[in-house]
Short mmCIF file of all heavy atoms in Angstrom, two decimals:
data_model
loop_
_atom_site.label_atom_id
_atom_site.label_comp_id
_atom_site.label_asym_id
_atom_site.label_seq_id
_atom_site.Cartn_x
_atom_site.Cartn_y
_atom_site.Cartn_z
N THR A 56 96.55 111.87 86.74
CA THR A 56 95.86 111.97 88.02
C THR A 56 94.43 112.45 87.84
O THR A 56 93.50 111.92 88.45
CB THR A 56 96.61 112.93 88.96
OG1 THR A 56 98.00 112.55 89.02
CG2 THR A 56 96.04 112.89 90.35
N ARG A 57 94.24 113.44 86.99
CA ARG A 57 92.88 113.94 86.72
C ARG A 57 92.03 112.87 86.06
O ARG A 57 90.84 112.73 86.37
CB ARG A 57 92.95 115.20 85.84
CG ARG A 57 93.44 116.44 86.60
CD ARG A 57 93.25 117.69 85.77
NE ARG A 57 94.19 117.75 84.66
CZ ARG A 57 95.38 118.32 84.72
NH1 ARG A 57 95.79 118.88 85.86
NH2 ARG A 57 96.17 118.34 83.67
N GLN A 58 92.64 112.08 85.15
CA GLN A 58 91.91 111.01 84.50
C GLN A 58 91.47 109.94 85.50
O GLN A 58 90.33 109.45 85.46
CB GLN A 58 92.78 110.38 83.40
CG GLN A 58 92.19 109.15 82.73
CD GLN A 58 90.91 109.44 81.99
OE1 GLN A 58 90.72 110.55 81.49
NE2 GLN A 58 90.02 108.47 81.91
N ILE A 59 92.37 109.58 86.40
CA ILE A 59 92.04 108.57 87.42
C ILE A 59 90.93 109.08 88.33
O ILE A 59 89.97 108.36 88.63
CB ILE A 59 93.30 108.23 88.24
CG1 ILE A 59 94.28 107.43 87.38
CG2 ILE A 59 92.92 107.44 89.50
CD1 ILE A 59 95.63 107.23 88.02
N ALA A 60 91.04 110.33 88.77
CA ALA A 60 90.01 110.90 89.65
C ALA A 60 88.65 110.91 88.95
O ALA A 60 87.62 110.56 89.55
CB ALA A 60 90.40 112.31 90.06
N ALA A 61 88.64 111.28 87.67
CA ALA A 61 87.38 111.33 86.91
C ALA A 61 86.79 109.94 86.74
O ALA A 61 85.57 109.74 86.87
CB ALA A 61 87.61 111.99 85.56
N GLU A 62 87.64 108.96 86.42
CA GLU A 62 87.15 107.60 86.21
C GLU A 62 86.62 106.99 87.50
O GLU A 62 85.56 106.35 87.52
CB GLU A 62 88.25 106.72 85.63
CG GLU A 62 87.79 105.31 85.31
CD GLU A 62 88.81 104.50 84.55
OE1 GLU A 62 89.72 105.10 83.93
OE2 GLU A 62 88.71 103.25 84.57
N MET A 63 87.35 107.19 88.60
CA MET A 63 86.89 106.66 89.88
C MET A 63 85.59 107.34 90.32
O MET A 63 84.68 106.69 90.84
CB MET A 63 87.97 106.84 90.95
CG MET A 63 89.18 105.94 90.75
SD MET A 63 88.76 104.18 90.77
CE MET A 63 88.10 104.00 92.43
N ARG A 64 85.51 108.64 90.09
CA ARG A 64 84.30 109.37 90.46
C ARG A 64 83.10 108.84 89.67
O ARG A 64 82.01 108.67 90.22
CB ARG A 64 84.49 110.86 90.20
CG ARG A 64 83.38 111.75 90.72
CD ARG A 64 83.81 113.20 90.76
NE ARG A 64 84.25 113.69 89.46
CZ ARG A 64 85.49 114.05 89.17
NH1 ARG A 64 86.44 113.98 90.08
NH2 ARG A 64 85.80 114.50 87.98
N GLU A 65 83.32 108.55 88.39
CA GLU A 65 82.24 108.01 87.56
C GLU A 65 81.79 106.64 88.04
O GLU A 65 80.59 106.33 88.06
CB GLU A 65 82.71 107.93 86.11
CG GLU A 65 81.64 107.42 85.15
CD GLU A 65 82.12 107.39 83.71
OE1 GLU A 65 83.26 107.83 83.43
OE2 GLU A 65 81.34 106.93 82.84
N ARG A 66 82.74 105.80 88.45
CA ARG A 66 82.40 104.46 88.92
C ARG A 66 81.67 104.50 90.27
O ARG A 66 80.79 103.69 90.52
CB ARG A 66 83.68 103.63 89.06
CG ARG A 66 84.36 103.28 87.74
CD ARG A 66 85.61 102.47 88.00
NE ARG A 66 86.37 102.21 86.80
CZ ARG A 66 86.75 101.00 86.39
NH1 ARG A 66 86.41 99.94 87.10
NH2 ARG A 66 87.47 100.84 85.30
N GLY A 131 88.87 114.45 94.19
CA GLY A 131 88.04 113.97 93.10
C GLY A 131 87.39 112.63 93.35
O GLY A 131 86.29 112.37 92.85
N ALA A 132 88.05 111.74 94.10
CA ALA A 132 87.55 110.37 94.23
C ALA A 132 87.36 109.91 95.67
O ALA A 132 86.36 109.28 95.99
CB ALA A 132 88.50 109.41 93.50
#
Side-chain angles (χ1 to χ4, degrees):
T56 309
R57 286 190 288 269
Q58 174 63 30
I59 289 171
E62 183 171 340
M63 290 300 298
R64 188 165 57 247
E65 182 178 356
R66 292 179 185 234

